[in-house]
Amino acid sequence: MYLLKSSIKQQVGFTLLEVLVALVIVGVALGASLRAVGSLTQNSDHLRAAMMATWSAENRLAEIRLAKAWPNVGQTTFSCPQDDLPLTCKEEVFATPNPSFRRVEVSVVDDRSPGQRIIKLTQVVPNAL
């Protein structure tokens, strides 16, 4: 008995639908990875700004400690840039229940978004006299 070979040949490869599904999967994966990279970059910028703002506030508080001067009650605003960040410091001095001490608060904001405070540090200063 002889077997007749089929004249229909099986084609090897992928169908158009399979290729399109694979492209969609790859596209979604690439989009998700790009979003993750963008988020990491944005977080890095915020951390850098927070670090620079902390340095500005700590510098001002260190100046007050080293001057050993009695700070006047009131509010002062001054520029305190770090590297390429345009920062503004707001210093507020308050009287305390103990007349031998004053409370000093230094807030730092980015000039590019002045409505949002980056950091606020507080220190109690003794009367050096």
Side-chain angles (χ1 to χ4, degrees):
M1 214 190 266
Y2 294 101
L3 294 174
L4 295 174
K5 290 188 177 182
S6 172
S7 62
I8 301 174
K9 295 183 180 179
Q10 287 186 346
Q11 293 184 352
V12 179
F14 298 105
T15 65
L16 180 60
L17 182 61
E18 290 170 332
V19 171
L20 290 175
V21 168
L23 285 175
V24 167
I25 291 171
V26 169
V28 168
L30 284 175
S33 64
L34 284 176
R35 182 172 179 189
V37 168
S39 178
L40 288 174
T41 303
Q42 187 178 19
N43 286 342
S44 174
D45 290 342
H46 289 296
L47 286 173
R48 180 176 176 270
M51 180 182 64
M52 299 273 190
T54 302
W55 288 349
S56 290
E58 286 178 346
N59 285 346
R60 179 59 189 144
L61 293 175
E63 285 176 16
I64 293 169
R65 279 193 310 271
L66 292 174
K68 296 184 180 177
W70 189 237
N72 295 324
V73 174
Q75 178 178 323
T76 308
T77 302
F78 54 94
S79 178
C80 55
Q82 290 286 334
D83 195 23
D84 61 341
L85 285 178
L87 301 174
T88 298
C89 291
K90 177 182 171 186
E91 176 185 317
E92 294 180 272
V93 180
F94 302 96
T96 62
N98 184 337
S100 298
F101 294 95
R102 296 246 168 104
R103 186 181 73 200
V104 180
E105 295 180 353
V106 178
S107 301
V108 182
V109 295
D110 189 342
D111 290 347
R112 297 173 292 189
S113 58
Q116 184 178 4
R117 179 177 63 208
I118 299 174
I119 192 164
K120 179 180 181 180
L121 297 182
T122 303
Q123 168 178 288
V124 175
V125 178
N127 189 350
L129 299 176

